[in-house]
């Protein structure tokens, strides 16, 4: 059965879960992590967690300030690059940023995207829903691929001319 547009998240375009709130997807990812990440080495586990939370936030920009989105975008880009730093360094840097004087989160409905570039996607090639539908054994790779796909979608969208 095809979902109507109202059955889709206004920010990521995925089907809205039965809870009625796409935020539930992040909690689904975290539940998967409780089962999967303990079997990974700490670096891989923390990297997978970072990709899950950061990528979800990039696809749901109404929850963060523009400055926080810019920092998160740069961090995901750095962590998916050819020589990513140790995750502990990234966590320290992000912690300092979040503890600073600038505001990181914002309270706004998902439809309020007034703080970001109008070209920021509302539909993505890979979403949290796609990751939750994969086998749990694929989770670490799936969240990494999701992060890479999200960056690619952002690059294409931002390269497009504004209308």
């Amino acid at each position: 059965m095809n979902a109507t547009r109202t059955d889709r998240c206004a920010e990521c375009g995925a089907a809205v879960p039965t809870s009625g709130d796409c935020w539930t997807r992040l909690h689904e990812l975290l539940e998967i992590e409780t089962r999967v990440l303990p079997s990974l080495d700490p670096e891989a586990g923390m990297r997978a967690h970072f990709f899950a939370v950061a990528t979800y936030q990039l696809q749901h920009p109404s929850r963060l300030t523009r400055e926080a989105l810019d920092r998160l975008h740069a961090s995901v880009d750095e962590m998916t690059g050819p020589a990513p730093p140790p995750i502990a360094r990234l966590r320290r840097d992000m912690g300092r940023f979040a503890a600073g004087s600038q505001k990181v989160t914002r309270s706004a409905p998902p439809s309020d995207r007034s703080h970001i570039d109008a070209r920021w996607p509302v539909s993505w090639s890979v979403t949290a829903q796609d990751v939750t539908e994969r086998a749990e054994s694929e989770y670490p790779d799936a969240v990494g691929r999701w992060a890479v796909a999200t960056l690619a979608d952002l690059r294409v969208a931002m390269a497009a001319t504004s209308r």
Side-chain angles (χ1 to χ4, degrees):
M1 179 165 133
N2 290 338
T4 63
R5 186 66 196 155
T6 56
D7 294 330
R8 299 270 169 200
C9 174
E11 294 200 84
C12 74
V16 175
T18 57
S19 69
D21 186 356
C22 199
W23 183 247
T24 303
R25 293 262 189 252
L26 182 58
H27 295 281
E28 289 176 33
L29 294 170
L30 297 177
E31 287 175 23
I32 293 168
E33 287 184 4
T34 65
R35 294 185 293 273
V36 174
L37 300 190
S39 66
L40 301 177
D41 72 82
E43 179 76 13
M46 286 188 286
R47 190 175 301 271
H49 175 73
F50 168 74
F51 285 144
V53 173
T55 305
Y56 181 89
Q57 294 287 39
L58 288 174
Q59 291 187 354
H60 296 83
S62 68
R63 296 180 177 273
L64 297 178
T65 64
R66 180 65 209 190
E67 296 78 20
L69 281 170
D70 289 344
R71 180 49 101 53
L72 200 57
H73 184 195
S75 296
V76 173
D77 193 44
E78 182 179 26
M79 293 306 287
T80 59
I87 194 73
R89 193 204 86 201
L90 174 79
R91 290 169 57 97
R92 269 191 315 276
D93 292 348
M94 293 300 286
R96 278 193 290 267
F97 176 78
S101 61
Q102 71 284 336
K103 199 171 173 189
V104 176
T105 61
R106 64 191 290 269
S107 296
S111 58
D112 180 1
R113 298 162 57 93
S114 59
H115 67 302
I116 59 170
D117 190 306
R119 296 172 294 174
W120 200 278
V122 293
S123 183
W124 303 83
S125 59
V126 180
T127 66
Q129 178 183 5
D130 298 312
V131 175
T132 62
E133 292 173 350
R134 306 291 303 179
E136 288 187 2
S137 61
E138 297 176 29
Y139 184 81
D141 290 332
V143 292
R145 287 191 305 271
W146 177 31
V148 168
T150 296
L151 292 177
D153 291 346
L154 275 168
R155 275 191 291 279
V156 168
M158 295 307 179
T161 56
S162 294
R163 294 178 194 181

